[in-house]
């Protein structure tokens, strides 16, 4: 069932969460598939519905700092500085977990990922549920993240109790995931808060080395993939002359692309606008029936890093 987010439907949603059910809800990044984070059986349903491997830990969403204290063991100065700057917002912090966090949430890790979303509907839902909400993006595992309630409905519709609809997610890419375990800041997934913004607050952040064991399954090479093969190109001259082709452009092209299915992410060349439109454009291209998507490379600064990360994952394994 999909309902427009109103105080009435959010209250209904919170009663579903309290009873151990699943609710899809909007956040400023993407739609999440939520369950009571302290109810292991409810959380298990998330994995079932998403067909998600259980080694993949979930983000715990809170609306009040009191819960940060309850969920974690050690919150250092760096964490507090980041919280002050970026919460509520699209930054997820990985910290040592407390004993109240069920193992199924963290896949048995000793750490927990916590985020305080900024979206009005998400915050109201968490508050009314009186518990933190564990939520991955509301898509089936490895597929495109949903940035509208309709995306959720198409992928998970019948399998979940309720979808709260509040239109399009304003940021459109997932949160930045940053580990602060052991006093060292490590970027696990680029996202809605840029690396540059984070470094302005806490100084140098390291990127996880590629050879290291996967700590954040958002790092699986073929994550966030459309069904259609996708190839990243450096120049529009590399697009073959074929009308069964989809083209994902960063900005307005210098020349007209004839007979192609074209999506332009931002008319003004604004990375924030491009990020907000990314998944919707990929969903449309995926559904248009084109046999391959050519995606224009974008600058890897600011939100461009998160966009290129998602495009690279969408392109890997699909074409060699
Ligand atoms: O914007 C977002 O973060 C959205 C909205 C719904 O909040 N959620 C989201 O969740 O993208 P999900 O499950 O699709 O991605 C969570 C990422 C995964 O890459 C997961 O591996 C990582 O966070 N993660 C969660 N707990 C972790 C932990 N304890 N250590 C390392 N990585 C963790
Ligand atoms: Mg996801």
């Amino acid at each position: 069932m999909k309902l427009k987010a109103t105080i009435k439907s959010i209250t209904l949603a919170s009663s579903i969460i309290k009873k151990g059910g699943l609710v899809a809800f909007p956040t400023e990044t993407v739609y999440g598939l939520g369950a009571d984070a302290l109810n292991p059986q409810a959380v298990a349903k998330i994995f079932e519905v998403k067909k998600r491997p259980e080694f993949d830990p979930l983000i715990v969403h809170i609306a009040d700092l009191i819960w940060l204290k309850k969920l974690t063991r050690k919150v250092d100065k760096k964490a507090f500085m980041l919280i002050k700057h970026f919460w509520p917002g699209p930054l997820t912090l990985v910290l040592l977990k407390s004993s109240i966090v069920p193992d199924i949430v963290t896949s048995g890790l000793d750490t927990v990922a916590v985020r305080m979303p900024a979206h009005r509907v998400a915050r109201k839902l968490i508050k009314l549920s009186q518990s933190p909400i564990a939520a991955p993006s509301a898509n089936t595992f490895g597929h495109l993240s949903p940035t509208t309630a309709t995306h959720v409905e198409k992928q998970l519709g019948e399998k979940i109790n309720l979808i709260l609809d509040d239109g399009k997610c304003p940021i459109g890419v997932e949160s930045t995931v940053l580990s602060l375990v052991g006093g060292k800041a490590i970027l696990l997934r680029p996202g809605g808060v840029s690396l540059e913004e984070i470094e302005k607050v806490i100084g140098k952040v390291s990127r996880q080395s590629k050879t290291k064991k996967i700590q954040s399954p958002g790092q699986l090479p073929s994550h966030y993939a459309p069904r259609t093969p996708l190839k990243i190109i450096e120049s529009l001259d590399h697009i073959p002359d074929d009308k069964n082709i989809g083209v994902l452009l960063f900005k307005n092209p210098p020349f007209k692309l004839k007979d192609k299915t074209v999506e332009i992410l931002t008319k003004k060349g604004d990375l924030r606008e491009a990020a907000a439109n990314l998944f919707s454009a990929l969903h449309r291209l995926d559904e248009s029936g084109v046999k391959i998507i050519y995606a224009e490379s974008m600058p890897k600064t600011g939100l461009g890093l998160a966009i290129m990360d998602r495009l690279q994952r969408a392109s890997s394994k699909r074409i060699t």
Side-chain angles (χ1 to χ4, degrees):
M1 183 175 38
K2 186 175 82 177
L3 294 176
K4 207 170 149 357
T6 59
I7 192 64
K8 203 171 152 204
S9 62
I10 302 172
T11 306
L12 171 67
S14 71
S15 68
I16 292 171
I17 296 278
K18 282 182 186 167
K19 279 188 232 145
L22 299 185
V23 173
F25 62 98
T27 80
E28 69 277 26
T29 57
V30 300
Y31 275 73
L33 177 61
D36 179 349
L38 303 183
N39 177 343
Q41 289 194 29
V43 174
K45 289 185 198 158
I46 293 178
F47 290 101
E48 200 182 311
V49 162
K50 272 195 66 123
K51 302 201 182 82
R52 181 172 194 162
E54 299 214 356
F55 56 75
D56 199 353
L58 303 175
I59 296 173
V60 178
H61 297 71
I62 60 174
D64 191 321
L65 277 181
I66 290 170
W67 278 104
L68 178 70
K69 216 175 150 196
K70 292 187 191 171
L71 295 167
T72 61
R73 264 181 286 154
K74 206 165 155 190
V75 184
D76 65 8
K77 192 161 163 239
K78 270 187 194 161
F80 276 119
M81 281 157 72
L82 291 168
I83 287 166
K84 198 166 158 232
H85 273 85
F86 302 112
W87 279 15
L91 175 66
T92 296
L93 298 178
V94 174
L95 298 160
L96 284 177
K97 81 173 195 75
S98 75
S99 58
I100 70 162
V101 184
D103 279 335
I104 189 166
V105 171
T106 64
S107 310
L109 294 173
D110 193 30
T111 55
V112 61
V114 188
R115 145 163 144 79
M116 188 187 282
H119 199 288
R120 176 185 67 81
V121 175
R123 293 174 67 79
K124 192 80 196 164
L125 175 64
I126 300 164
K127 280 194 183 142
L128 292 176
S129 302
Q130 295 171 311
S131 186
I133 293 186
S137 48
N139 52 288
T140 37
F141 182 71
H143 284 79
L144 288 172
S145 289
T147 51
T148 65
T150 309
H151 294 159
V152 182
E153 200 174 25
K154 280 187 192 151
Q155 292 197 39
L156 302 174
E158 297 302 297
K159 299 193 186 111
I160 60 183
N161 301 102
L162 179 63
I163 303 169
L164 287 175
D165 184 354
D166 196 50
K168 196 176 153 192
C169 302
I171 293 180
V173 288
E174 297 90 340
S175 63
T176 305
V177 181
L178 189 76
S179 166
L180 291 173
V181 177
K184 198 169 172 226
I186 305 172
L187 180 71
L188 299 180
R189 175 177 77 181
V193 176
S194 74
L195 189 59
E196 294 91 329
E197 287 172 277
I198 292 171
E199 289 189 329
K200 258 189 226 152
V201 178
I202 55 162
K204 193 82 195 135
V205 169
S206 32
R207 310 280 305 263
Q208 209 188 13
S209 74
K210 290 221 171 77
T211 51
K212 248 190 151 175
K213 137 170 177 279
I214 291 172
Q215 278 190 16
S216 193
Q219 298 174 326
L220 287 174
S222 74
H223 221 71
Y224 312 107
R227 288 179 303 254
T228 318
L230 182 145
K231 195 176 163 72
I232 299 171
I233 48 171
E234 296 304 324
S235 154
L236 300 189
D237 302 333
H238 297 157
I239 301 170
D241 195 18
D242 182 330
K243 59 177 189 299
N244 277 325
I245 280 177
V247 186
L248 182 72
L249 295 176
F250 172 49
K251 52 182 194 292
N252 270 335
F255 51 85
K256 216 174 153 70
L257 288 155
K258 261 199 325 201
D259 305 327
K260 309 235 183 323
T261 309
V262 179
E263 288 285 343
I264 299 168
L265 292 180
T266 162
K267 292 209 160 75
K268 302 172 290 187
D270 173 23
L271 284 164
R272 215 159 258 285
E273 186 186 3
N277 291 325
L278 177 68
F279 284 120
S280 285
L282 282 171
H283 277 285
R284 280 192 297 271
L285 287 170
D286 217 11
E287 281 160 12
S288 71
V290 295
K291 62 176 189 217
I292 181 167
I293 300 165
Y294 282 86
E296 183 183 22
S297 194
M298 0 212 136
K300 278 191 182 173
T301 55
L303 284 193
L305 187 64
I307 299 173
M308 285 305 288
D309 172 80
R310 305 306 185 267
L311 288 179
Q312 260 145 13
R313 288 175 209 292
S315 72
S316 73
K317 250 175 77 176
R318 308 281 152 164
I319 308 165
T320 39

